[in-house]
Structure formats: C-alpha cells, structure tokens
Amino acid sequence: MTEAIQTKPKRANSQRAFAGATPVMPGGVNSPVRAYQAVGGEPIVIASGSGCCVTDVDGNEYIDYVGAYGPLILGHAPQAITVALTKAIARGTAFGMPTEAETALARLIVDAVPSIDVVRMVNSGTESTMSAIRLARAATGRANIIKCTGCYHGHADSLLVQAGSGATTLGTPSSPGVPDAVTQHTLLVPFNDVDAAQAALEQPGDVAAMLLEPVAGNMGTIPPNEGYLDALRDLCDKHGALLIFDEVMTGFRVAYGGAQELFGVTPDLTCLGKVMGGGLPCAAYGGREDLMRQISPDGPVYQAGTLSGNPLAMVAGRATLDALREPGVYTSLAQHSKTLAQGLGAAAVQAGVPARCTTVNSMVCCFFTSGPVQNYNDAIQCDTNAFATFFHAMLDQGVVLPPSQFETWFVSTEHDNLMIERTLHAAKKAFRTVAQKQR
Ligand SMILES: *Cc1c(COP(=O)(O)O)cnc(C)c1O
C-alpha cells in the first residue's frame, strides 16, 4: 500500500525570523533547548497559541506538547487568565509595595501543598532552588547537599554538576565558569537508588539537604520507585538533613498538592514554579514555619527580588489554581495522558521500534530504548537519533514535541480525545519512519 505523499509544511518565515535572531542572541534563543541542537534543523518561530495548539509565523498550526516547558496546564491563552491579566494590567504592572494579590496566591499555595506553612515568591525555578539550598544550609549549619544525577534544578552554580567516577561521587562543574570550590559541596547519587543516598548521607562532612525532583522530569519522565521517597524521608530524618522536593515541574501538575500529595511523602522545603505562575515569570519556595521564619526580614537568611510577587504573575497564578480546583480536572488530565502514553507504546510495538513510554498524570515521555528507565544512566541508553527522526516526522505532521529525548511532554486540559487521537495517528506514521531508517 502506498501512502499519500505529504508535502512538507512551508517554513520560510520561520527561517527568516530565526536568521534574524542568531546574530543578536546566543544560538538565536533565550534558553538552550529551544535551539533544536539535539534534533537538528531550525526551530519554528511562534506567532500565537490557543488551547492546545500553537501557530508559527508561516501560519502552520501544531498540536503542542511543549506547553512552555510546563507552565501551561490550561493550554494557551485560557480565557480566565487573559481576563484576569487584562484587568490587572490596567491597575499597574509593579509596585514594590505589598498587594493583596500576593497574599491571595500565598494562601492558595499554603492550603494546597502539604509541606508549606509559609511561602516566599520569587521569579524563576532557579531562584527557588538556590534560595531553598541557602536556607537549608543556614538552618542546619552544614554545607553539603545531595543531588540526583539527571535531575535539573535550574542553573545556580552549586547545581551545575556532573558525576565523576564511582557510584557516590563529589560533583565536578558541568559548565565552565563554575569554580570547583562551589561544586565540592554537591554530592551526586543516582535517582531511585536508596543505598547510594544512604552512603552519601553517611560520608564524612555533614549533609544540609538532599534535593530532588520527586518525579524526575528533566531526563524524560521517570517516576519514583515504590518506597523510594519514603526511604529518603527516613534517611534524612536519621541524619539530621533536610529533604527538599523540587516541585517546580510537578507542583500543581501531577496533583493539585504536587507529587508530595500524590505519593504521601512530606518534604521539609518545597520549590515551586511553572504552573503556579500561569505562564508568567513566577516561582516560590516554602516549607515548615520554623524554617521559613529564618528568611529575611523575619530572620537572617537574605533573599530578595525587585519583581518578586509581581501583581500580574500573582493574578495569573491565582486564576490557574482556581481553574485547577474544578472537580475532575486531574482525573481527566491523567486519563488523556494515559491514552497518549499507551497509544504511543502500542504504535512503537506495531512499527517494531524499541520504546518505553512513561507517564505520571499529565507528564508523558517516550524513551527510544528497549530497557527499563529508572535513572539517568538508563535514560542515556536511548537512541537519540531515533528520537530526532521521530521528532521531525511529528513536526511535519503538525505535532510539536519538546526538541530533546530528555524533556517531558506536557498534556494540558485542552488536549481532548480528538487531539490525542490525531497525535497518535501522526505517531504511527512517525514510528514507521523511524523503523525504515533503522533497517
Ligand atoms: C524548570 C525547572 C527548574 C528551573 O526553573 P526556571 O524557571 O527555568 O529557572 C527547576 N527545577 C525543575 C524541576 C524544573 O523543571
């Protein structure tokens, strides 16, 4: 049987726009993964978004699973947010003085997230983890932190580390410009490995905190093994270290109360971002009262921000959380994501392409590997060339995925059955293209 020949969508305007960007910005982008280096080719340049779709500057429409890398759980330009923002803009965009909007969102966060009694708003996930670590070090009087290889916590110096040799290792900088002295205090362990965490906590040199994504979302989507988070909770308590959940991605996404609600494990400190800002630059960190009262001006631990608690971000966040409290939202997100992940898995089998498709509620990933994926070492076994082929085959059919094997696909409330069906239809063909190349 022959397939209808599909003409490649025209991308002349995207090409022109991107050619204008590269002379004035590194890689033509403001965050590296957007530049398509992992999949080859050039990025589409976006003109607008609506619901679960984006439109590029050539007028091509795509079903979008980038979701702005996590914030857009309600899809693009949801009416509740645009209305709230339009009203707020007319009242002024920043004051540097307290507003009621800050308290309103803080109250919603405290009510939603089990570990958070008191919260501080910041502007990015990076700021959030950096500040939580400072607080953990101040509160414990210890310097070392434990991080899982492959978990991403933003680009603060102490977190830009890579593993040396050995199972439990001192980190070395993963970027030029980060002094060894900074990463010497960061210990690396594999995700989902209780023994490695225990060994790191028992090493000489006391550990202030273990920081991790409770569902790893920056090396694809990797759920925690049964009992892993509980074991970390016990180990941290035993060794007087704090447990920090970086829920910048999972907060208000895998459940309203985040992964800590979903898995029933309460950390000492929690980092939030992405969904809580409704698509505006916004993040937060929070935790137990006795810890958070050590933050300036209640306590001595300094942390500040000119635009922190920005009124536009506050109303966008509030409108988002209000929508997410509607009954059935998370059930429906989980259902659609499961249909997508299972459908992708089935399509891969049909095409004879080795793949492991994972999902934790509205986070989805398709790993191009035949083995189980439990940590970073497993994830990097993936055939990234196969992913690149798949990515471009999907893009040509009007589905835009995050342009790397190691990013999570985000399902929003706007991805309905029809959109999932259309995605799977495209995926069947894309897997066949991958299979043809592998032969
Ligand atoms: C995105 C992300 C960050 C960094 O947030 P930015 O707002 O990009 O600084 C930190 N941690 C996790 C888990 C993330 O997914």
Side-chain angles (χ1 to χ4, degrees):
M1 224 174 80
T2 53
E3 262 166 4
I5 293 165
Q6 185 159 344
T7 51
K8 269 201 164 215
K10 287 198 175 62
R11 305 237 173 86
N13 291 345
S14 272
Q15 278 162 9
R16 203 171 307 125
F18 194 61
T22 47
V24 287
M25 291 181 283
V29 294
N30 283 304
S31 199
V33 75
R34 297 178 198 170
Y36 280 24
Q37 281 185 358
V39 291
E42 285 189 351
I44 52 170
V45 175
I46 300 303
S48 66
S50 174
C52 70
C53 294
V54 292
T55 303
D56 68 15
V57 289
D58 290 282
N60 304 306
E61 203 183 39
Y62 304 83
I63 305 175
D64 175 28
Y65 291 95
V66 179
Y69 290 93
L72 304 189
I73 198 165
L74 303 178
H76 294 272
Q79 204 193 355
I81 295 185
T82 45
V83 168
L85 275 176
T86 308
K87 281 189 197 155
I89 285 172
R91 292 192 297 261
T93 57
F95 304 107
M97 291 182 267
T99 62
E100 290 177 316
E102 293 164 87
T103 311
L105 185 58
R107 169 56 57 197
L108 288 177
I109 290 170
V110 166
D111 287 346
V113 185
S115 66
I116 299 185
D117 301 329
V118 178
V119 65
R120 166 62 61 84
M121 306 291 178
V122 293
N123 303 290
S124 72
T126 297
E127 260 188 86
S128 157
T129 57
M130 183 184 76
S131 309
I133 287 169
R134 183 180 302 146
L135 173 56
R137 285 173 163 160
T140 58
R142 302 172 175 186
N144 290 347
I145 55 171
I146 301 174
K147 170 190 182 295
C148 291
T149 307
C151 279
Y152 178 69
H153 305 289
H155 61 90
D157 281 353
S158 66
L159 296 166
L160 289 182
V161 291
Q162 63 193 358
S165 55
T168 303
T169 56
L170 285 177
T172 56
S174 62
S175 166
V178 177
D180 289 338
V182 175
T183 56
Q184 264 168 21
H185 292 290
T186 308
L187 308 168
L188 281 169
V189 297
F191 187 71
N192 270 330
D193 187 335
V194 176
D195 292 342
Q198 178 166 357
L201 282 159
E202 284 170 356
Q203 273 187 5
D206 283 342
V207 171
M210 174 155 182
L211 165 72
L212 81 161
E213 297 174 71
V215 176
N218 286 285
M219 45 177 162
T221 304
I222 308 181
N225 285 346
E226 174 102 43
Y228 176 59
L229 300 175
D230 296 277
L232 294 182
R233 177 68 280 176
D234 292 345
L235 279 172
C236 285
D237 287 342
K238 187 173 160 207
H239 292 275
L242 300 184
L243 180 62
I244 308 176
F245 278 1
D246 179 353
E247 297 228 41
V248 169
M249 185 183 290
T250 54
F252 299 104
R253 177 165 281 284
V254 296
Y256 188 68
Q260 55 198 274
E261 178 193 301
L262 189 64
F263 297 105
V265 176
T266 307
D268 300 291
L269 292 172
T270 298
C271 302
L272 295 171
K274 297 187 174 141
V275 171
M276 66 156 283
L280 272 79
C282 184
Y285 63 103
R288 287 205 323 262
E289 169 115 33
D290 63 302
L291 295 171
M292 290 304 293
R293 293 294 174 203
Q294 299 183 39
I295 297 292
S296 187
D298 275 347
V301 181
Y302 192 70
Q303 188 273 307
T306 300
L307 290 173
S308 295
N310 176 265
L312 299 185
M314 295 300 103
V315 302
R318 187 181 178 184
T320 302
L321 301 201
D322 286 347
L324 291 175
R325 284 195 311 283
E326 293 292 322
V329 168
Y330 287 93
T331 316
S332 155
L333 280 167
Q335 229 156 37
H336 288 135
S337 307
K338 206 168 157 192
T339 307
L340 177 62
Q342 285 177 348
L344 287 166
V349 169
Q350 224 170 41
V353 174
R356 293 271 174 151
C357 301
T358 56
T359 177
V360 178
N361 293 346
S362 58
M363 295 163 64
V364 172
C365 185
C366 186
F367 291 104
F368 284 80
T369 180
S370 50
V373 183
Q374 300 210 330
N375 58 37
Y376 182 70
N377 268 344
D378 295 340
I380 58 172
Q381 304 307 317
C382 286
D383 182 348
T384 51
N385 290 328
F387 175 82
T389 302
F390 183 81
F391 170 87
H392 282 292
M394 292 296 274
L395 194 68
D396 288 350
Q397 296 177 86
V399 180
V400 62
L401 307 173
S404 158
Q405 168 71 85
F406 306 109
E407 300 289 340
T408 287
W409 308 8
F410 295 104
V411 174
S412 77
T413 54
E414 299 301 295
H415 291 84
D416 58 13
N417 286 329
L418 179 66
M419 290 297 173
I420 302 288
E421 207 177 289
R422 277 178 52 189
T423 305
L424 289 175
H425 181 77
K428 280 178 193 158
K429 193 167 159 192
F431 279 120
R432 284 203 297 274
T433 308
V434 173
Q436 272 157 19
K437 278 215 173 182
Q438 283 178 339
R439 254 179 231 131

